[in-house]
Amino acid sequence: MDSQEYVTAEVESEAVNEDVSKTNSADGKDELFCGPQRSDATKDWTLMESTQAAAASQTSLDCGSHSGPDEPVFTGSSGDAALTHTSNGQKSKRSSSPGHHPVKTTCVAAHSSNPKLTLCLRISPRKDVSTPPYDVEMLSPDSPVSKTALVNDCDGTACAEDSQQFVEYSDSECSAKENVNMGSEDAEKAEYGGSSEMSQDLIGSQSGELFERGWLGTPIDELNRMPQCAPPLPHLKATHNHTVTVRTDFLREGEVPVPYPSKFKDAWDDVAVKMPCSEKNLFPMETEDGGGVQSRWELIQTSLRGGMKSSLDVRDAILRYNIAHAKKWDFTALNLLCTEYLDQSELQPLFDVVLPAMVDLALSAPVLCTMPIPLLKSRMNHSLTLSQEQIACLLANSFFCTFPRRNSRKSEYCNYPEINFYRFFEGTSPKKIEKLKTLLCYFRRVTQTKPKGLVTFTRQTLNTPPNWESSKTLLKRLHITCEGTIEDDGYGMLQVDFANRFVGGGVTGLGLVQEEIRFLINPELIVSRLFTEALECNECLIVTGTEQYSKYSGYAESFKWKDSHKDETARDDWQRRCTEIVAIDALKFRHFLEQFLPEKMTRELNKAYCGFFRNNGNSKHLSAVATGNWGCGAFGGDTRLKALIQLMAAAEAGRDVAYFTFGDAQLMRDVHEIHTFLTERQVTVGRLYHLLNEYSSSMCKNCRTTRPDVGLYSFIYERVSSPASADGPDSAKDSGISPPTSDFR
């Protein structure tokens, strides 16, 4: 085959068409009550395997009521090391003992000590489907549950929704040019063929252990977590590359941070966010002389202070200062929520308490957000620290669509994500109803009790990547599991957001996969869309300190808001929750073979390394990476290749890995086996990089079928095990990357 036939097309994000699910009417409505609560038990779906076909595992489920507002209760069978919260605000560790773990049961209720400030949201009548909490995007497509999920739960678009905004890009040009649709080649073939005697022996020796528990490798409790592994933080202060919007000398545990400076400082330029309360935010008006302008902020205040007693009032208020969009914006979802999903007892606190409090919060912008908010532009290394109260104020303005110049893709902000929430309100999809419930849960909480912490947003650029082919680094420890989630079981670790280059992806639209769900349950992430320009191929966004406000079930079409969540994660000395999330965007591949091009693999290595690396970071102070099948599913990535890439990048950055396969037990075994094989043979990152390139040139380049006959892991087993390669030189074509000095500048 001619080398040109080896796929080289750059793949952009696909356009998205809303897939309106067919709903089956349920017998009655499940409702989350306020006050006295009915007992509710929900079995978490857990994948368990047994070596004996006749063996069966049963778990007795028993749930009690809440002991207080928003307090989660975890109950399970005897011996279950369920996740709980301890008195010092730390989440307790999961059991690391061998053997399968009993099924955990989560009992939730929505209480509040102040009924007037409690917005009770009914779980919407939805399609009657079984919704195990696996992530469709992150399952191996060869997994049986994946095949079912991709048919039932995925609308074929996943997080690549809304192509006019969320476009993928070429790693050579880092620019969006066209949209493509994924083909049927997302399915993944089993790669482990057992081509060497050693690999067969490895499987046989571990077969008993593999089927007795839902995890393999290093016990998760032995991996580093924040804050235990973190060194003392220096005193928080503003620097040339760190903007701090609060009085650091007044920062106290348990107290609401004080904004800095004391008076609003206006900025209407191309380096800061254009605020709705700016005196330069003007609105055209008709006068007797023919035309003029008025303060748009004054119009916003008048419109929102006019009183809102229905969803139509909300619509009318927003459109008064967004007249140009009056014929295009659609508020159907908001109207459906208020007319068909909430009863009168729920609507009254919404319109009498929550929405007026949200108006007050939004209009407090000149008092709370006094410092100009810098735009985190491409090729910048800059941090921004905001208080949670300031973030709540900014998000309230997003809800009421007050940010100027942010409603058109032709504006100066065309390379930024959407931040005004008008798209949350449109359409008839049940997903929008659940999204609105999740948002309103957040706003109820922050208007009822002022949040007291800080959140830091850091845009990090990798100017000098590692020299992968000469790396002598060995792989670090691995914990891999087919149970649990990144956000729950990876607490205190560096948690990977499988991001769109426009951070948040389709969170304001129809997207509801890994990234969008995380942005909904931790809504403070959404504010990053206000100031974060689209990520380039050597950039990431690191967010430290966001809080989780909601529990959920399901995924994509089956997503449902469940309950309010009380986050007990400990805070660091800067009063940030010890939750660190890194947004890294993977490439999208139309064809399976394309991802094995050397430049594509190097791009993904550098992107992952950019997210995992910390300048001057001592590995003993670095938390483990909590991740999964990044860039797989709708993005077309091969799960086994992406697992190796992340293991290599984490090792080079000095971090262990906790890998969540989300129900895919076969992938768990395969990755554990290859990791064990490589570590026992002391195969370096550089040697592994050469093997990847060798696989590309010998198995993929001239392949005339959609997939090579030999799987990647089989190829690695054979090459490393063969006597000829035992002492083979690290010879491969020069990748063209920079010298082995790794730093951020």
Side-chain angles (χ1 to χ4, degrees), residues 192-205 673 677 681 713-714 717-718 721:
Y192 182 70
S195 58
S196 70
E197 293 182 4
M198 196 292 310
S199 55
Q200 293 286 5
D201 293 340
L202 182 61
I203 292 179
S205 65
E673 287 162 9
F677 174 74
R681 294 296 185 98
Y713 287 7
S714 297
Y717 284 130
E718 181 179 2
S721 300

Side-chain angles (χ1 to χ4, degrees), residues 287-298:
T287 63
E288 295 180 356
D289 298 334
V293 293
Q294 71 174 110
S295 167
R296 189 167 181 264
W297 183 242
E298 290 180 1

Side-chain angles (χ1 to χ4, degrees), residues 246-247 249-258 387-389 450-454 571 574-575:
V246 299
R247 289 282 300 269
D249 54 333
F250 287 175
L251 195 60
R252 302 286 187 276
E253 182 178 358
E255 297 182 9
V256 178
V258 178
S387 72
Q388 289 181 280
E389 185 184 25
K450 290 183 179 181
K452 299 178 174 63
L454 300 181
R571 295 187 186 272
W574 291 1
Q575 300 308 304

Side-chain angles (χ1 to χ4, degrees), residues 102 122 134 176 245 253 285 287 290 387 404 478 493 596 652 654 707 730:
R122 179 183 300 110
Y134 50 74
T245 63
E253 182 178 358
M285 60 180 295
T287 63
S387 72
L478 170 67
M493 298 181 183
F596 292 96
E652 197 67 25
R707 294 165 185 265
D730 289 344

Side-chain angles (χ1 to χ4, degrees), residues 383-592:
S383 294
L384 167 65
T385 295
L386 298 163
S387 72
Q388 289 181 280
E389 185 184 25
Q390 290 170 331
I391 292 172
C393 170
L394 294 170
L395 291 179
N397 277 279
S398 294
F399 184 91
F400 293 116
C401 306
T402 68
F403 285 104
R405 312 283 182 91
R406 300 303 290 263
N407 300 324
S408 171
R409 298 299 304 153
K410 298 179 181 179
S411 75
E412 65 211 79
Y413 292 101
C414 63
N415 205 33
Y416 288 78
E418 292 173 340
I419 186 60
N420 288 328
F421 283 3
Y422 62 92
R423 297 189 61 219
F424 273 115
F425 306 141
E426 66 185 16
T428 60
S429 171
K431 293 191 290 187
K432 291 293 185 70
I433 303 299
E434 301 305 316
K435 286 187 174 189
L436 287 172
K437 289 180 181 181
T438 312
L439 284 175
L440 290 174
C441 173
Y442 164 73
F443 284 119
R444 175 184 67 81
R445 291 275 302 280
V446 296
T447 54
Q448 177 179 330
T449 304
K450 290 183 179 181
K452 299 178 174 63
L454 300 181
V455 180
T456 300
F457 303 84
T458 300
R459 188 184 189 111
Q460 182 161 269
T461 302
L462 177 64
N463 291 322
T464 307
N467 190 328
W468 296 104
E469 57 190 353
S470 65
S471 173
K472 302 301 181 184
T473 304
L474 297 174
L475 296 180
K476 306 300 182 186
R477 295 180 298 177
L478 170 67
H479 170 91
I480 188 164
T481 177
C482 59
E483 301 172 348
T485 62
I486 292 173
E487 63 266 24
D488 290 338
D489 300 270
Y491 68 90
M493 298 181 183
L494 176 62
Q495 302 175 357
V496 178
D497 163 24
F498 305 163
N500 193 290
R501 64 185 299 254
F502 290 91
V503 293
V507 64
T508 63
L510 287 171
L512 251 179
V513 287
Q514 195 254 14
E515 178 173 49
E516 289 87 354
I517 291 173
R518 196 66 195 271
F519 273 57
L520 287 169
I521 64 176
N522 290 52
E524 289 153 343
L525 290 168
I526 298 176
V527 81
S528 64
R529 296 164 63 87
L530 176 64
F531 44 75
T532 306
E533 191 172 9
L535 298 175
E536 299 292 348
C537 53
N538 62 336
E539 296 180 320
C540 69
L541 180 71
I542 306 161
V543 186
T544 306
T546 62
E547 190 165 329
Q548 182 177 341
Y549 288 88
S550 288
K551 298 185 181 79
Y552 73 98
S553 65
Y555 180 83
E557 296 294 337
S558 63
F559 174 88
K560 287 185 180 180
W561 175 83
K562 285 177 63 177
D563 190 16
S564 177
H565 173 76
K566 186 173 183 180
D567 197 329
E568 297 283 2
T569 305
R571 295 187 186 272
D572 63 19
D573 292 339
W574 291 1
Q575 300 308 304
R576 304 176 302 182
R577 296 283 184 193
C578 292
T579 298
E580 185 180 19
I581 299 170
V582 60
I584 50 175
D585 55 299
L587 292 174
K588 178 186 282 283
F589 300 108
R590 181 190 301 176
H591 303 287
F592 180 81

